[in-house]
Amino acid sequence: MNSENKEGIKPLLKKLFPRMIIINVPVWLITLIWGFDLTMIVGLAVGTAYSIACCIYLASTINEAVECSQGKAKGKMMSCYAVRMLGLCVLGYVALRYDFMNFVGFLLPQFYPRIILTIMNFLEKKK
């Protein structure tokens, strides 16, 4: 794969990751106001880390898929989706089953990439 394709998504990820971490700050502050809950902090930390890992995995899979035939690319993308959803289900189950991690705290960061990309797209259209 040429370096031009590999670099295509890195600038987006470099913009996305710090913003994902920054979004946690108001949520942590709300947690402190409503009463400190360590399980929420753990859930947010694990959820944010998992969301970032999924973005990196998705980006690398996309980079690999563009070099493949259509059928092989579809298979790669479907397996990527299955692995990400399996991880989400397993970690969600752990959050529900055990008391060390808040389920909502874990699930909330899964929406951060969509929220950030929507806002970035809206702001770019305004310019």
Side-chain angles (χ1 to χ4, degrees):
M1 174 184 304
N2 62 34
S3 62
E4 212 173 274
N5 286 343
K6 281 189 173 185
E7 292 298 317
I9 201 160
K10 279 186 181 179
L12 177 63
L13 295 178
K14 286 179 182 178
K15 289 179 184 178
L16 190 64
F17 295 158
R19 290 177 173 131
M20 289 173 67
I21 294 168
I22 289 169
I23 289 177
N24 274 334
V25 173
V27 178
W28 286 335
L29 292 175
I30 290 170
T31 300
L32 291 174
I33 291 169
W34 281 350
F36 179 74
D37 186 9
L38 184 61
T39 63
M40 179 62 108
I41 304 297
V42 172
L44 287 168
V46 171
T48 302
Y50 183 72
S51 186
I52 289 171
C54 283
C55 288
I56 293 169
Y57 178 50
L58 180 61
S60 69
T61 304
I62 289 169
N63 283 334
E64 290 174 15
V66 296
E67 298 291 324
C68 299
S69 66
Q70 184 178 358
K72 193 170 182 181
K74 283 182 181 179
K76 278 188 179 292
M77 295 311 297
M78 287 300 293
S79 65
C80 174
Y81 179 78
V83 167
R84 290 183 297 121
M85 289 305 112
L86 178 64
L88 185 68
C89 290
V90 167
L91 287 171
Y93 174 77
V94 168
L96 287 170
R97 179 80 169 108
Y98 301 103
D99 293 335
F100 70 91
M101 180 170 52
N102 185 293
F103 178 74
V104 173
F106 167 72
L107 196 59
L108 191 60
Q110 307 315 310
F111 296 101
Y112 291 174
R114 287 180 179 91
I115 293 167
I116 293 167
L117 290 172
T118 300
I119 291 170
M120 287 171 59
N121 188 29
F122 179 75
L123 292 176
E124 285 179 11
K125 284 185 179 181
K126 284 251 180 188
K127 291 180 182 177

